């Protein structure tokens, strides 16, 4: 018994020593400090809080006089005046930057651009099928559809680099609507029922970053590497050169101001709304009064030197170069009909049950 106890003690000591040898590893050489990632804020990622120096900051407890005069070496001197402010080069696109939005490039080249409409779908697989079906952009419908922005953002980030770029018709000219679209990754923005040049300017302002517009640099998935964060020149610096802004002329007031609307800097195209121009005028397509309305929009685009958009049915109409095509449900129906050929709609004709074909009385 005594011998067994001694053996147990010896074994325990041996195991303890072995474990101690395993935990006491030789000291590793110090690793060099990793460089902090680049950031727009030079004071970000500070490991020693409280020790950062702010050499150009206002003195503690004193009026710096910044409203009356600029700091030494600044481009802007004298009393502060927003109307005279010299915009800085921090967000200039690199020299020689090329267009990376295929829709923008195609419009610039005079090609015919088509937008496939996603009206009610919120499932990413349906969106991605439409985005890879051959359209240039997807017209995600937020004016008449019931989809919310969270669903839209999820669809767009599922296949951000599909053949068709993300586009949207927002509900109205509004900072929230347009910036939700752009921050989620939209490269084509369609604004409905634009009636005046002032409304066109507002749409332009919320679409473009300064100095052309007033878009806030608030982030969003558009800035992510998986979407547009790695484009040549950087997203913030090149976004203004790649976004497409289309304004819809739909009302009699819009027709009256079409020339001024089309001339607003930053507007890529105006859209002759085939349905609502009939709705607001009271005339059907093909009548002289209706066609006069369409021609007013046509003339405004030609005079302003911008593109002219309309329904896909007008793809052969003079000077129209961008179009809204059918919805996802229409595309499914057309695709199935094309695939089935003469086997389409040849269902069995049962005589009983809820699927029975009713005979004419």
């Amino acid at each position: 018994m005594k011998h067994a106890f001694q053996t147990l003690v010896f074994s325990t000591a041996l195991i303890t020593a072995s474990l101690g040898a395993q935990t006491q590893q030789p000291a590793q050489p110090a690793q060099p400090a990793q460089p902090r990632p680049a950031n727009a804020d030079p004071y970000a990622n500070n490991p020693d809080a409280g020790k950062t120096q702010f050499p150009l900051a206002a003195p503690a407890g004193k009026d710096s006089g910044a409203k009356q005069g600029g700091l030494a070496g600044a481009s802007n001197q004298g009393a502060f005046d927003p109307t005279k402010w010299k915009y800085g080069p921090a967000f200039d696109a690199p020299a020689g930057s090329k267009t990376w939005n295929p829709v923008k490039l195609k419009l610039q080249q005079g090609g015919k651009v088509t937008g496939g409409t996603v009206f009610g779908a919120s499932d990413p697989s349906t969106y991605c099928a439409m985005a890879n079906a051959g359209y240039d952009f997807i017209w995600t419908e937020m004016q008449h559809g019931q989809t919310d922005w969270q669903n839209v953002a999820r669809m767009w980030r599922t296949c951000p680099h599909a053949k068709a770029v993300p586009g949207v018709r927002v509900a109205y000219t509004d900072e929230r609507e347009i910036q939700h679209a752009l921050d989620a990754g939209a490269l084509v923005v369609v604004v409905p029922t634009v009636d005046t040049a002032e409304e066109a300017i507002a749409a332009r302002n919320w679409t473009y970053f300064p100095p052309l517009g007033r878009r806030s640099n608030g982030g969003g998935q558009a800035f992510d590497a998986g979407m547009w964060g790695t484009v040549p020149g950087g997203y913030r610096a090149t976004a203004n050169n790649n976004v497409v802004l289309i304004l819809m002329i739909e009302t009699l007031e819009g027709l009256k101001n079409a020339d001024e609307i089309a001339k607003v800097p930053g507007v890529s195209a105006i859209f002759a709304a085939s349905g609502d121009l009939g709705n607001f005028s009271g005339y059907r397509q093909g009548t002289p009064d209706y066609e006069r309305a369409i021609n007013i929009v046509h003339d405004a685009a030609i005079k302003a030197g911008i593109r002219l958009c309309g329904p896909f049915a007008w793809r052969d109409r003079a000077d129209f170069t961008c179009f809204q095509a059918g919805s996802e449900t229409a595309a499914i129906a057309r695709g199935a009909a094309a695939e089935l050929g003469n086997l389409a709609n040849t269902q069995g004709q049962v005589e009983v049950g809820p699927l029975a074909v009713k005979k004419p009385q």
Side-chain angles (χ1 to χ4, degrees), residues 15-31:
I15 293 171
T16 302
S18 175
L19 290 173
Q22 291 178 15
T23 58
Q24 294 177 2
Q25 299 295 328
Q28 299 294 322
Q31 297 296 318

Side-chain angles (χ1 to χ4, degrees), residues 165-316:
V165 305
V168 62
R169 173 161 64 178
V170 296
Y172 48 90
T173 303
D174 177 77
E175 178 179 8
R176 182 181 188 275
E177 281 288 292
I178 294 175
Q179 296 205 16
H180 266 63
L182 292 164
D183 289 346
L187 293 181
V188 179
V189 176
V190 182
V191 183
T193 56
V194 176
D195 289 338
T196 64
E198 290 74 21
E199 192 174 354
I201 291 170
R204 186 275 312 279
N205 283 347
W206 303 132
T207 300
Y208 291 92
F209 286 118
L212 179 58
R214 297 186 60 194
R215 180 183 171 189
S216 171
N217 192 15
Q221 68 182 30
F223 294 79
D224 294 347
M227 190 158 270
W228 314 125
T230 59
V231 295
Y235 176 72
R236 169 59 184 86
T238 61
N240 280 7
N241 296 332
N242 284 275
V243 69
V244 172
L245 175 61
I246 302 172
L247 304 184
M248 299 189 73
I249 308 296
E250 309 190 60
T251 66
L252 299 182
E253 189 73 12
L255 290 174
K256 175 185 174 183
N257 298 307
D259 288 354
E260 290 71 27
I261 291 169
K263 292 176 182 177
V264 170
V267 175
S268 308
I270 53 176
F271 191 108
S274 57
D276 263 323
L277 279 173
N279 177 44
F280 282 96
S281 71
Y283 292 94
R284 295 189 182 280
Q285 185 173 169
T287 63
D289 292 280
Y290 179 94
E291 298 303 329
R292 179 185 182 185
I294 302 302
N295 288 341
I296 289 174
V297 183
H298 166 276
D299 296 348
I302 297 303
K303 285 183 280 190
I306 62 174
R307 298 302 173 191
L308 178 61
C309 304
F312 188 63
W314 293 357
R315 59 191 178 276
D316 295 324

Side-chain angles (χ1 to χ4, degrees), residues 119-138:
F119 191 97
S122 59
D123 178 61
S125 62
T126 303
Y127 170 83
C128 292
M130 286 288 286
N132 282 305
Y135 302 106
D136 294 298
F137 71 97
I138 294 301

